[in-house]
Amino acid sequence: MKQEMDAKNLIKFILGTLFGVFFVLVPFNFDGTVDTILFYYVKLFVKQFNSQLSMVLMICIIASAAISLFNLFNDKTFLGQNRLMKKLFVTSPFYVVNRIIGAVLTVMIYFQIGPSFLISADTGGSMLSLATQLAVIVPSMLLFQTFILEFGGMEFLGEFIGKLVKPLFKVSEICATSIISAWVGPGNAAIMATKELFENGYFTFREAAAIASHFTTGSIGWIVVVSSVLGVMDYFGLILAGLLVVSIIVAVICVRIPPVSLYEDVYVDGTTEFKHVVLKEGNALTRGLHNAANRASEAGVKNFAAKIDNMTFYVFWLTPIIICWGTAALVIALFTPVLGWISLPLELIMNLFGVKEAGIAASAIMSGLADNYLPVIIGGSIQAASTKVIVAMMSILSIIYLSETATLLSSTKIIKKFWQTILIFLERTYIALPFVILFVKVFM
C-alpha cells in the first residue's frame, strides 16, 4: 500500500539538509580567509580563549588517565554499569598506559617542564596546540553534521546510487545508504552502525568488511578540518572531488583483492538469503523523497543529544592517544631517520612523479597509520600547495589508523585479524597515491 508523503517532513528534510550543507561544508571568504561558517567562528573562539581551553583540555586528559587507571584495578564500580562511563573510561591496560603517557606529556608541555625535544613548539607544543583546537572543532563538527546525516539527505542520495554499488563494489543495493553515510559521517560511528546492521541481517560478512574498511573516511566535516588546518581551503572543492573519484577507484580495486575478497558472502545466521522487505514502488526520485521525509520525521533533539557520546569520546578517549602517539611520531620524524626509512618507497613514487618536498610528504602520509591527523601535523611545514593537497587527500583516503579505526575494526570482528587492518592500510596507500598525484597534477 502506497504511503503519502508528509509535506511538513519533506520541508524539514530540505531545510535541515540545506542548512547543514551551507553551515558545515560550503566555504566562504572571511576577510581574505577561506573557510566554512562553522569552522571560521570556532577557530576564532579557540584563538581568543586558547590558554584557558588548553588548561581545560589538560584537566580532561588527566581525568581520563586517572579514572581509567582506577577502573583497571577496581572493575566492580559504577563505571562498568553506566553506558557512557563504560565507553569513555573502561579500556584495556594498553590504552590505559597510553592515556597515562598522554597525560604526563600534556602536563610537561603545558608547564614547559622536561627535555626540549618533547615539549618544544615543533613537537609536544605543536601537538597540544592542535589538540586544543581539535577538541573544540571536532565535537562542533559532530554536532552540526547531524543536519547533513540525519535529516534525510543520505536516504535521498542512496536511491540514486543503489544501482551503481552492486557492479562497482560487489555489494547489494541496500548498502548504498550505508556507503554514503560511512563516507560523509564519522568513521567510528560508521563502523558501529555497520556492525549493528550486519548483526541485524542487512549485510553479509563480506559486505560489512567492505563498507567498514573502504568507505569509513574521517567524515566530510573532517575533510574541512584537514583542509582548513593545512591552509588549502581554497582547493576544498577540488579536494572533495578528488577524494570522491579516487576513493571509488580504490574501493573498486580493494574489494576484489584479499583480505576483503576472501570474506564469506553469508549473513550472520549462516544463510545467503536476504530476509528484509525493501520498498521498491515508484521511481528513484519518489522513493528518495519518501524515504528522506520518513527519516526527517524521526529527526529532533534526541539526534543531537545522541552526539554527546562521540563528542565526549573524542575528548576523553582519543585526545590522550593523539597527544601520546602524535608527540612520539613528531619526535621520531624530526629527531630520528625511522619514519623516513619506512616511507622511502612512497618518497620514491612521489619523486618519480616530480612531487615537490617528497621526503616530508612521504613521512607525513605514512604517519597516518598511527593517527589520521599526524599527516596534517607533519605536513604543516610543507610549502608547496600541490603537495599539501596530496597529503590532505591521502590522510583521508588511508582510513585505517591505529589510534581508532584499526582497533575498532578488529575489536568488533568486522575485520577478523588485526594484521589485516595493517594490510588494508598499505593496500589503500599504495593504490591511492599514484591516482591522487595524477589528479592533482591534472587539475591544479
Side-chain angles (χ1 to χ4, degrees):
M1 182 177 174
K2 189 173 179 179
Q3 293 177 293
E4 293 296 325
M5 251 186 294
D6 190 308
K8 182 179 75 172
N9 291 325
L10 191 60
I11 293 171
K12 187 177 176 182
F13 147 62
I14 294 170
L15 294 182
T17 303
L18 286 177
F19 173 78
V21 168
F22 279 99
F23 193 68
V24 178
L25 300 183
V26 178
F28 294 92
N29 192 311
F30 296 92
D31 298 323
T33 301
V34 178
D35 220 332
T36 65
I37 297 172
L38 173 64
F39 291 110
Y40 176 76
Y41 286 106
V42 167
K43 284 192 287 186
L44 277 183
F45 172 76
V46 173
K47 185 177 180 180
Q48 184 172 353
F49 299 101
N50 185 69
S51 179
Q52 297 93 322
L53 290 170
S54 293
M55 184 177 66
V56 171
L57 181 63
M58 178 179 65
I59 293 170
C60 291
I61 292 173
I62 292 171
S64 174
I67 296 172
S68 60
L69 179 63
F70 171 79
N71 179 79
L72 193 63
F73 294 101
N74 302 272
D75 58 359
K76 303 298 183 184
T77 66
F78 77 98
L79 293 171
Q81 309 303 318
N82 182 278
R83 181 191 55 77
L84 182 57
M85 293 296 103
K86 184 176 181 180
K87 181 177 181 179
L88 297 180
F89 302 115
V90 178
T91 186
S92 67
F94 174 76
Y95 284 106
V96 171
V97 171
N98 275 263
R99 293 185 189 202
I100 293 170
I101 295 172
V104 171
L105 283 172
T106 303
V107 172
M108 291 171 62
I109 296 162
Y110 185 83
F111 291 106
Q112 287 293 286
I113 303 168
S116 60
F117 73 90
L118 285 177
I119 65 172
S120 73
D122 294 326
T123 53
S126 172
M127 279 307 307
L128 180 58
S129 175
L130 287 166
T132 300
Q133 186 179 48
L134 290 174
V136 180
I137 287 178
V138 173
S140 301
M141 175 265 293
L142 290 172
L143 183 66
F144 284 97
Q145 231 177 214
T146 305
F147 286 104
I148 301 170
L149 299 178
E150 299 182 31
F151 275 70
M154 297 303 97
E155 284 71 17
F156 180 73
L157 290 176
E159 285 298 327
F160 293 92
I161 72 162
K163 297 291 184 184
L164 298 176
V165 299
K166 192 169 186 176
L168 284 176
F169 310 124
K170 301 182 70 176
V171 296
S172 60
E173 294 177 7
I174 200 168
C175 295
T177 300
S178 292
I179 285 173
I180 297 174
S181 298
W183 199 82
V184 303
N188 59 338
I191 291 171
M192 296 309 296
T194 301
K195 176 179 180 289
E196 183 178 345
L197 289 169
F198 163 71
E199 291 172 344
N200 289 329
Y202 285 92
F203 303 147
T204 65
F205 281 94
R206 187 180 55 76
E207 288 172 340
I211 293 169
S213 64
H214 291 297
F215 295 97
T216 53
T217 63
S219 85
I220 202 162
W222 185 251
I223 298 169
V224 178
V225 175
V226 169
S227 303
S228 179
V229 176
L230 270 178
V232 289
M233 275 302 295
D234 286 350
Y235 304 98
F236 177 71
L238 179 71
I239 291 170
L240 203 58
L243 287 171
L244 178 61
V245 172
V246 178
S247 63
I248 290 173
I249 294 171
V250 173
V252 166
I253 296 170
C254 287
V255 298
R256 288 169 167 79
I257 61 176
V260 170
S261 65
L262 300 179
Y263 280 54
E264 293 179 306
D265 226 353
V266 298
Y267 294 95
V268 68
D269 61 359
T271 68
T272 58
E273 182 183 351
F274 184 75
K275 297 180 174 63
H276 295 276
V277 177
V278 180
L279 176 66
K280 293 184 178 179
E281 62 183 25
N283 56 37
L285 178 60
T286 302
R287 290 196 307 271
L289 290 172
H290 183 89
N291 292 334
N294 281 345
R295 181 62 186 271
S297 71
E298 302 170 358
V301 175
K302 67 181 185 301
N303 298 78
F304 293 92
K307 298 298 176 289
I308 293 173
D309 274 31
N310 283 333
M311 291 164 70
T312 53
F313 181 84
Y314 183 86
V315 175
F316 287 96
W317 215 108
L318 290 179
T319 303
I321 308 299
I322 291 171
I323 292 281
C324 174
W325 290 11
T327 302
L330 285 175
V331 169
I332 291 170
L334 294 175
F335 296 99
T336 77
V338 174
L339 192 56
W341 291 341
I342 63 175
S343 60
L344 186 59
L346 292 183
E347 184 180 350
L348 294 175
I349 293 171
M350 297 177 89
N351 279 326
L352 185 65
F353 282 92
V355 176
K356 298 175 182 177
E357 301 172 88
I360 302 174
S363 295
I365 292 167
M366 189 55 72
S367 72
L369 177 59
D371 185 82
N372 67 336
Y373 197 67
L374 290 183
V376 181
I377 298 167
I378 295 173
S381 62
I382 294 172
Q383 299 300 312
S386 60
T387 307
K388 280 189 174 185
V389 169
I390 291 171
V391 171
M393 290 176 64
M394 290 300 297
S395 74
I396 302 296
L397 285 165
S398 62
I399 289 182
I400 306 295
Y401 47 98
L402 298 176
S403 65
E404 185 183 353
T405 53
T407 304
L408 198 54
L409 283 169
S410 58
S411 64
T412 56
K413 302 301 180 184
I414 292 176
I415 300 299
K416 295 177 183 178
K417 303 290 184 182
F418 186 76
W419 65 265
Q420 291 179 346
T421 64
I422 309 299
L423 177 58
I424 291 170
F425 169 82
L426 293 173
E427 286 176 351
R428 292 188 60 84
T429 299
Y430 281 97
I431 292 171
L433 184 59
F435 290 106
V436 169
I437 295 172
L438 286 172
F439 184 88
V440 171
K441 290 278 186 183
V442 170
F443 293 102
M444 274 192 73

